[in-house]
Structure formats: structure tokens, C-alpha cells
Amino acid sequence: MMSYTIRPAETTNERRQALMLLMHEADRPSPDEDIAEALKQADRGEIDLSHLLIAAADEQETERKFVIFGSILMIVQPDATGLTWAPMLCDEIATRKDSAAIHNALIEAEVQRALEAGCTYLQASVGLKQDDRAASLLRNGFVELGNMAFMQRPCPRGLQSLWRSSDSGSDVELIPYYLAINDEQLATLIEQTYEESDDFPELQGYRTGLQAVLSHREQGEYQPNQWYVIRTNREPVGVLFFSGHEEVGQVELIYVGIIPRFRKQGIGKKAIALALSRLDGEKKTVFLGVDIRNRPAVKVYNSLGFISITTQRVFYRMVQKQ
């Protein structure tokens, strides 16, 4: 059996090699550019790569550099969630009989770091065809939740017509949240939208509304004027948040939720249509992720011109009780 050490990637070169392994087989058109950007963001303090772990051979080559043959990454979120990339091994090691043991060691090392960081649970996603990566998660205590569809509206034009065609009238308003409520009230409203939700209901109750606010602000570029309270008859009934991704010319619909007693009234669709209409002319693609089991939401997105571009399997593992 190969002798190896699990440790954080320390140098820029080690981080580059580790990230390249993780993007192996990933559906990424330009992984080199993605890795270069990730390293720049880490240098600027925008992302934390301190939990990028590598499996490094104990034997040193003549140049006295460790040989990296496996890696795993966790990003700790403000909501006490650890977002984890399933471990990946280089081709030469992946076919060895002891490859499963290396997968296990990488995952358990990351779980220990998640415990030390105070994470409640770890969440990971893999492509539909990445069976080996899924198997490594299932073998190490992860539970499969379901599939998440990533959808986008490829054409930015015609957004104003969405609002007009939604037959909305004046019963739905979008107000930048800071003009309507404070952060504490926003957190309470978010928690209300979680009740009886069809979006990964297994994870409900594991983060507070305040944690959700902090986590959502970390997604892309926080734009408070595009964080909306949805109101009907001047009563707050839900929230809708956009986040910017200027570097790729995209806008992300990171969250939309309606409190239970106002659902099934078309309010969510009208709110999304109005929000999209305000992006008209920005020439940006709008994208989102949704639990495919949430069929009403998928139906709404399809009716508003969103199409599915990829689907991933979603897993989680409890780390500690709240």
C-alpha cells in the first residue's frame, strides 16, 4: 500500500494541481481559466482555500517535491454549512486497489476539519455520470437527497413582456428589502418561507434565517438593491434575491420563497416576472438551481423561458447536532 500524508495544499503550485484534479471530468469549458481565477480570488481573500486538502506521497522525488495524487475541497459557509467537492484522484492512482482507502482518508480528514470549524453538515454535489465520486460519498456517511437542476434564461431580451403577460396588476410589489424591513425581520421572513418547502426539505431546520442572510450575501456579488421583499396588498409575503457574476456576464437568482398561506396564488411567478423585467437591457444570462422534486417551481421557471442546462446529484452528511 502506498504511504501518503493528508494535509492542506500549501503553495500556489500545489493548489493549482489540487484544483485541476477536482475539475477532472467536470463539465467546465475552460478549467484552466477557472483555476486561475480561483487562485486570484484566494489571493484577494474572496474565497478561502485553507481547507483544500491533498493526498501527497511520502516518498520525495529528486526535486524534493511531494507528488500530489488526490485532493478534496471544503468551503465553510456563514450558515455553518461546509460545501464540499467530492475527492478526486489522479488517473494513475484511481485504478489501484487501495484507491478507495485514499478517498476515505480525504473525506474523513475534511469531516474532522468541518467539526473544528463548527459546521452542522457537509453538502456535496456530483455530475449524473460521476458514479465513482458519488460512491466515495455514500461509502463515507453521505446521504443522497436528490437532483438539482441548473437552469438559465439564455436570451435577455423580452423581459418586459414577461411582466405584462403575467397578468400581475398592482397586487404584487418588489421592494428592496432595506426600504421595507430590517435584517432581523428579513431573517424571520426567510424562515417563514422555508416552512413546508419542496426545495430539499431534508435540510430544513438546520440553519436560521440570519445564517441564510449571511450565506446568500457570500454568493457572487451582493447587490442590496436587488434583494427584494415581495409584497401583496402591502403585506410582506416572500423574498427574492439576485446576485451578480460580472466576470461571466451572468445574474443568479439565488433564492425566491413565498410563505405557505400565500402559495398557489401565482404570486411567485408574478414576482419573478417583475424581477426579470427589471433586468431588461442588461444583456446578461440569468441562471438558478432548483430541486427537481419541486415541480411547481420547475413549471414556473419553464413558463418564464428558463431551460435546464445540467443536473447534479446532491448529498449531505451530518457533522454535529445544532
Side-chain angles (χ1 to χ4, degrees):
M1 179 177 291
M2 180 176 292
S3 176
Y4 58 89
T5 300
I6 306 294
R7 62 169 176 82
E10 297 172 347
T11 67
T12 298
N13 187 50
E14 286 182 345
R15 289 181 170 185
R16 183 179 293 109
Q17 292 181 56
L19 291 172
M20 184 60 74
L21 280 177
L22 290 175
M23 291 190 179
H24 182 64
E25 295 182 355
D27 185 16
R28 311 286 295 194
S30 53
D32 290 339
E33 293 179 9
D34 292 340
I35 291 169
E37 179 60 27
L39 292 172
K40 290 178 182 178
Q41 290 177 333
D43 289 340
R44 295 193 297 262
E46 296 172 3
I47 61 173
D48 180 12
L49 295 181
S50 63
H51 301 296
L52 176 59
L53 304 183
I54 58 174
D58 287 339
E59 297 83 6
Q60 292 184 339
E61 293 186 343
T62 56
E63 294 181 358
R64 297 182 179 276
K65 293 182 179 179
F66 282 101
V67 177
I68 298 172
F69 54 81
S71 63
I72 188 172
L73 171 63
M74 174 181 66
I75 303 292
V76 178
Q77 301 294 292
D79 62 357
T81 301
L83 297 183
T84 305
W85 279 252
M88 196 69 191
L89 307 184
C90 64
D91 292 338
E92 296 82 356
I93 301 299
T95 56
R96 292 172 57 99
K97 292 182 179 180
D98 57 349
S99 62
I102 302 171
H103 277 283
N104 299 348
L106 284 165
I107 291 176
E108 287 308 313
E110 205 70 278
V111 169
Q112 182 58 44
R113 294 177 76 88
L115 272 169
E116 294 170 357
C119 293
T120 303
Y121 65 91
L122 293 173
Q123 183 174 325
S125 61
V126 303
L128 293 180
K129 297 181 180 180
Q130 294 176 328
D131 292 336
D132 290 345
R133 303 181 82 167
S136 70
L137 295 171
L138 292 170
R139 196 169 55 240
N140 285 277
F142 281 79
V143 176
E144 186 165 5
L145 294 177
N147 293 343
M148 175 177 284
F150 291 90
M151 309 179 75
Q152 70 178 20
R153 195 178 193 282
C155 178
R157 292 173 296 178
L159 296 178
Q160 290 285 354
S161 65
L162 284 177
W163 175 233
R164 292 193 294 270
S165 66
S166 67
D167 190 27
S168 57
S170 60
D171 58 330
V172 172
E173 297 178 287
L174 291 183
I175 310 296
Y177 90 93
Y178 58 84
L179 298 178
I181 57 179
N182 58 35
D183 280 8
E184 184 177 346
Q185 292 168 324
L186 178 65
T188 299
L189 186 56
I190 290 173
E191 290 179 359
Q192 291 175 332
T193 68
Y194 287 162
E195 296 174 11
E196 303 173 24
S197 172
D198 290 330
D199 255 355
F200 298 107
E202 298 87 349
L203 299 179
Q204 292 174 23
Y206 288 115
R207 69 175 179 179
T208 66
L210 181 57
Q211 287 175 324
V213 169
L214 296 174
S215 181
H216 288 318
R217 283 178 177 163
E218 294 292 319
Q219 293 180 246
E221 299 153 10
Y222 171 51
Q223 299 173 330
N225 62 316
Q226 293 185 340
W227 274 39
Y228 298 113
V229 170
I230 303 170
R231 299 198 312 192
T232 181
N233 298 322
R234 295 189 174 275
E235 180 178 357
V237 301
V239 295
L240 186 153
F241 303 149
F242 282 130
S243 177
H245 296 269
E246 292 290 339
E247 72 281 3
V248 291
Q250 293 182 330
V251 175
E252 182 180 1
L253 178 54
I254 55 177
Y255 185 69
V256 58
I258 305 295
I259 61 180
R261 72 177 185 276
F262 288 96
R263 292 175 189 158
K264 300 182 180 180
Q265 300 177 32
I267 294 173
K269 180 177 180 179
K270 294 174 184 178
I272 297 169
L274 176 56
L276 291 174
S277 76
R278 296 182 179 180
L279 299 175
D280 207 355
E282 291 197 16
K283 298 182 180 180
K284 295 176 182 177
T285 299
V286 184
F287 73 98
L288 57 90
V290 60
D291 185 342
I292 64 171
R293 296 172 296 178
N294 190 349
R295 294 186 179 182
V298 174
K299 184 177 179 180
V300 165
Y301 295 135
N302 284 331
S303 72
L304 294 175
F306 286 87
I307 60 173
S308 180
I309 54 174
T310 188
T311 302
Q312 294 205 328
R313 300 164 66 182
V314 178
F315 301 80
Y316 85 107
R317 171 175 164 167
M318 297 306 302
V319 176
Q320 59 188 354
K321 296 180 180 180
Q322 281 188 310

